[in-house]
Amino acid sequence: PTTFDMAGLESVELPNTIETIGSSAFSRCGNLSTFRFPESVKVIKGSAFESTGIEVLELPASVDSIGELAFADMRRNKGMGGLQLIRVHAAVPPKAEHDNVFTNYNHKDWRTYQEVPLEVPAESVEAYRNAPMWKNFAQIVPMGTTVVITDPVTTISQLTIVGKATVNVEQEARTNYSSDAQTVDLTG
């Protein structure tokens, strides 16, 4: 049973009394680009956000269980905003029902695990690298080290980084970047 299946929702903020987000609750809400999870959410059921346009997925520390295909088919090339960053505040990796939480519906597309950074508490990076499902992510980094700009017309000529950071430049940007540098010149 779906709740808002294919609804034209763009943004959702739920009250801080919700503990479970049901199966397919927001499935196929392709315009849904912003979702604010309440700190009370503990369980996210299967396919709850499948095929949504959420750009930055921020899971509160209260989440301890995620169902199969909960965030499936949220790739960047879907014609929607597309998933750019996953940030999980839980110190202990939430239990995943299956390895396919972030794949597509037929379990054949694992690009999210390769392309989208996963930010976690700094003290938990190793725990996520060893946890079922979470270990599939190629980029598991401490929180606060990834910058996501979702506006396609944004121009940045210089980005100053304090500490270590992940810099992914896409599309037609010219860059001069050194991993040792603290400043990235994006104008070439």
Side-chain angles (χ1 to χ4, degrees):
T2 59
T3 306
F4 298 102
D5 188 11
M6 297 195 304
L9 299 172
E10 294 179 9
S11 177
V12 172
E13 187 168 340
L14 298 174
N16 206 22
T17 55
I18 304 292
E19 291 186 2
T20 300
I21 297 179
S23 296
S24 302
F26 297 94
S27 175
R28 298 183 290 176
C29 290
N31 294 327
L32 182 59
S33 61
T34 304
F35 190 92
R36 189 175 312 261
F37 287 87
E39 293 294 326
S40 56
V41 170
K42 295 179 181 178
V43 177
I44 300 169
K45 297 276 190 172
S47 299
F49 294 91
E50 182 175 356
S51 298
T52 61
I54 296 173
E55 296 173 342
V56 176
L57 178 62
E58 188 142 356
L59 300 178
S62 58
V63 173
D64 59 21
S65 176
I66 302 174
E68 184 173 14
L69 299 170
F71 301 103
D73 221 12
M74 295 174 59
R75 294 189 325 266
R76 295 182 214 185
N77 60 353
K78 296 290 295 175
M80 305 177 244
L83 193 56
Q84 305 289 315
L85 173 66
I86 301 164
R87 184 175 291 130
V88 183
H89 291 267
V92 175
K95 181 180 181 245
E97 190 175 291
H98 195 280
D99 266 0
N100 65 3
V101 170
F102 291 95
T103 64
N104 66 347
Y105 71 94
N106 65 8
H107 315 276
K108 293 183 180 176
D109 188 342
W110 291 71
R111 283 184 281 183
T112 297
Y113 293 106
Q114 298 304 312
E115 298 174 357
V116 178
L118 172 64
E119 276 194 357
V120 300
E123 67 278 4
S124 302
V125 170
E126 279 307 308
Y128 279 83
R129 287 184 179 152
N130 294 307
M133 192 280 294
W134 300 105
K135 66 183 177 186
N136 295 320
F137 281 91
Q139 302 173 63
I140 301 176
V141 297
M143 274 190 196
T145 59
T146 305
V147 176
V148 175
I149 299 167
T150 58
D151 181 357
V153 297
T154 299
T155 301
I156 298 175
S157 60
Q158 190 174 52
L159 173 64
T160 301
I161 299 167
V162 177
K164 293 184 176 184
T166 301
V167 179
N168 292 329
V169 180
E170 297 182 4
Q171 301 185 356
E172 298 181 20
R174 293 183 307 155
T175 66
N176 291 326
Y177 173 69
S178 164
S179 60
D180 296 332
Q182 287 192 326
T183 301
V184 180
D185 178 3
L186 299 174
T187 59

